[in-house]
Amino acid sequence: AVGDLLAVQYGFEVMALVKDTCDQIIHELDKYRNRFRANDNLLIYYAGHGSLDTEADKGYWLPVDAQPNRRTQWVSNDTVRDTLRALKARHVLVVADSCFSGTLTRGAELKLGRGQEHLERMARLKSRQVLSSGGLEPVADSGGSGHSPFAAALLRVLASNRGVLDATSLFSAIKSAERNP
């Protein structure tokens, strides 16, 4: 549903990875390193299970081949973050709807700003941003009319938007939509 909306309303070129393995996900991330150039933009939407290794303080995405207590087929949030850092693309936005997705932003600096001048400045700079459905805790995966509450709110916000929507505004709108379904 998110991919369809992004393609139809926003003109995104969408490639859906559905029920892919750890190797397939990492393979696609590696392909992005060679594909994207300085003026390109990328949005990654991950909706799936996540896990937190509390002893190592590391978060993971759990693809279809993930096995409990066996990290060999888990996609480390560090791997995702390191790959995104190496991309030549100007803007990368990760929208992660999974448990423990807050670990994607560990060590990140939060920069807030508003107005047209801020948007123009941000459009010129290389950016990596993450919107996550939660921090370091489990999140609900049902209850949003066939979607997670986060995905349902994201779909409502994107469907009703008619202007420029930066990540900070998108996050605020999602939080408001989650509180007022």
Side-chain angles (χ1 to χ4, degrees):
V2 172
D4 290 344
L5 180 62
L6 290 172
V8 171
Q9 186 167 328
Y10 293 88
F12 276 64
E13 176 185 323
V14 175
M15 181 182 65
L17 301 178
V18 180
K19 297 189 181 200
D20 283 311
T21 66
C22 176
D23 287 345
Q24 290 168 320
I25 292 169
I26 292 173
H27 175 75
E28 289 302 322
L29 289 172
D30 285 345
K31 280 176 39 179
Y32 293 158
R33 288 186 72 167
N34 296 318
R35 177 179 174 197
F36 288 96
R37 300 294 170 242
N39 287 324
D40 292 331
N41 301 303
L42 173 66
L43 185 151
I44 296 175
Y45 176 70
Y46 176 76
H49 295 289
S51 184
L52 179 67
D53 179 341
T54 55
E55 293 169 353
D57 196 30
K58 299 286 182 186
Y60 298 87
W61 290 349
L62 302 181
V64 69
D65 60 339
Q67 297 178 25
N69 302 312
R70 298 281 179 242
R71 293 176 300 121
T72 56
Q73 298 305 320
W74 298 6
V75 178
S76 168
N77 285 350
D78 290 346
T79 298
V80 174
R81 189 175 47 250
D82 292 347
T83 300
L84 300 180
R85 187 176 293 133
L87 289 176
K88 294 176 185 83
R90 178 169 297 163
H91 302 294
V92 177
L93 174 62
V94 176
V95 180
D97 187 4
S98 69
C99 298
F100 310 109
S101 53
T103 62
L104 280 164
T105 60
R106 291 273 172 90
E109 182 181 333
L110 179 63
K111 296 178 182 176
L112 298 176
R114 281 288 189 262
Q116 185 66 28
E117 182 179 309
H118 168 74
L119 291 174
E120 290 171 1
R121 188 176 76 248
M122 298 314 320
R124 290 188 304 271
L125 300 174
K126 189 173 178 180
S127 68
R128 304 295 182 262
Q129 296 180 305
V130 175
L131 296 180
S132 65
S133 58
L136 303 179
E137 69 276 338
V139 296
D141 59 4
S142 62
S145 303
H147 302 286
S148 71
F150 179 84
L154 174 64
L155 287 165
R156 281 195 311 276
V157 168
L158 292 176
S160 65
N161 179 57
R162 297 295 177 256
V164 174
L165 190 60
D166 66 274
T168 303
S169 300
L170 175 59
F171 181 74
S172 295
I174 291 169
K175 283 311 203 191
S176 177
E178 280 183 315
R179 285 191 294 269
N180 304 306

